[in-house]
Amino acid sequence: MMYFPVFTQIEGKRCLIVGGGKVAARKVHTLLQYRADVVVIAKKVCDEIKEVLPEKSIFEDFIKNAESDFLEKEIQKAVLVVAATSSREENHRAAELCHAYHILVNVADSEAESSFIFPSVVRKGNISIGINSGTGSPAVSKQIRCQIEKAVPDYYADIAIFMGELRQYVKANFEEEAMRRYILKTAAAKAFSKERVLTENEIKEIIRQGQND
């Protein structure tokens, strides 16, 4: 099965994890890397989660009454949900609620019930590369991730930040689209060829050349 890759901004947004074991802990770790507001609700929460989340973000031993509407209310507050309990019944219940309220959900034990999946991720600074093999095999994605991690040097992250800042400067100071494209394209090519961010004098030289052409 093929999946369409989508990148979404979750910084400061509520992401709910239903479950408190090892699988849930891995999802918590991933979401925290993107500064999400992560909340965990589970019968029991492992130490790995308690070490990284504040007490106010953990609701432990809540799923005692199957008729309780607590889970439903929490799901409605979230932009995405991960159902990662050890119970097929509880995961199914969380998935049904998410689908009813059109909330994105990843179900750890059911790809069919999931509306999104967690890719294998290569992260270098602000650069994120998501990998899904379409085979359902995490081992395949892991091997691809290892190869990409080796192929993408750390300095790419510095260049990405540098180019983002340069883009804002160019947009604010140059009205002609052709000039903007020239500066950014030339600067990116030069930065990657030198394997570092450019100096102020190098940027000025690129601008001068663009104005003279």
Side-chain angles (χ1 to χ4, degrees):
M1 183 181 296
M2 292 193 300
Y3 290 88
F4 178 68
V6 175
F7 289 86
T8 185
Q9 200 283 105
I10 59 172
E11 182 173 350
K13 296 180 181 179
R14 177 68 62 92
C15 295
L16 176 65
I17 309 291
V18 184
K22 301 293 185 181
V23 174
R26 291 198 295 270
K27 306 304 184 185
V28 169
H29 177 73
T30 298
L31 293 170
L32 288 178
Q33 289 185 62
Y34 294 89
R35 300 175 184 173
D37 174 20
V38 180
V39 171
V40 171
I41 54 178
K43 289 180 179 178
K44 186 176 181 180
V45 178
C46 67
D47 291 339
E48 287 91 335
I49 292 176
K50 292 181 178 180
E51 289 172 359
V52 296
L53 287 184
E55 187 176 343
K56 66 178 182 179
S57 296
I58 298 174
F59 296 91
E60 194 168 13
D61 199 24
F62 90 101
I63 313 180
K64 285 186 174 180
N65 181 358
E67 300 303 316
S68 171
D69 63 354
F70 179 77
L71 177 62
E72 185 172 357
K73 289 179 179 178
E74 288 301 310
I75 282 175
Q76 291 180 67
K77 298 176 186 177
V79 297
L80 63 84
V81 174
V82 177
T85 75
S86 58
S87 165
R88 173 87 282 272
E89 181 182 354
E90 289 173 5
N91 287 347
H92 175 68
R93 177 176 173 235
E96 282 193 321
L97 289 169
C98 289
H99 294 315
Y101 289 105
H102 305 289
I103 305 295
L104 290 172
V105 61
N106 173 261
V107 186
D109 61 354
S110 177
E111 187 175 300
E113 289 183 323
S114 300
S115 53
F116 82 97
I117 61 170
F118 272 79
S120 186
V121 176
V122 174
R123 185 161 180 247
K124 298 290 180 80
N126 289 342
I127 299 173
S128 292
I129 303 170
I131 303 152
N132 176 261
S133 67
T135 64
S137 171
V140 174
S141 295
K142 182 178 180 180
Q143 288 299 316
I144 295 171
R145 186 195 72 207
C146 290
Q147 294 298 316
I148 292 176
E149 283 179 336
K150 295 176 183 177
V152 179
D154 291 340
Y155 69 80
Y156 275 28
D158 295 330
I159 292 177
I161 294 173
F162 160 74
M163 288 302 302
E165 294 172 348
L166 180 60
R167 181 172 180 268
Q168 293 303 314
Y169 170 79
V170 168
K171 286 177 65 177
N173 291 276
F174 298 91
E175 294 183 359
E176 294 183 9
E177 186 61 30
M179 184 62 178
R180 291 177 178 179
R181 285 199 302 268
Y182 172 82
I183 295 171
L184 295 175
K185 182 178 179 179
T186 305
K190 192 167 186 176
F192 279 105
S193 69
K194 291 182 174 293
E195 301 184 357
R196 61 168 173 79
V197 301
L198 302 183
T199 65
E200 183 177 347
N201 285 337
E202 287 171 327
I203 294 298
K204 288 180 178 179
E205 178 60 20
I206 290 172
I207 293 172
R208 187 190 64 77
Q209 291 175 351
Q211 290 173 332
N212 291 339
D213 287 346

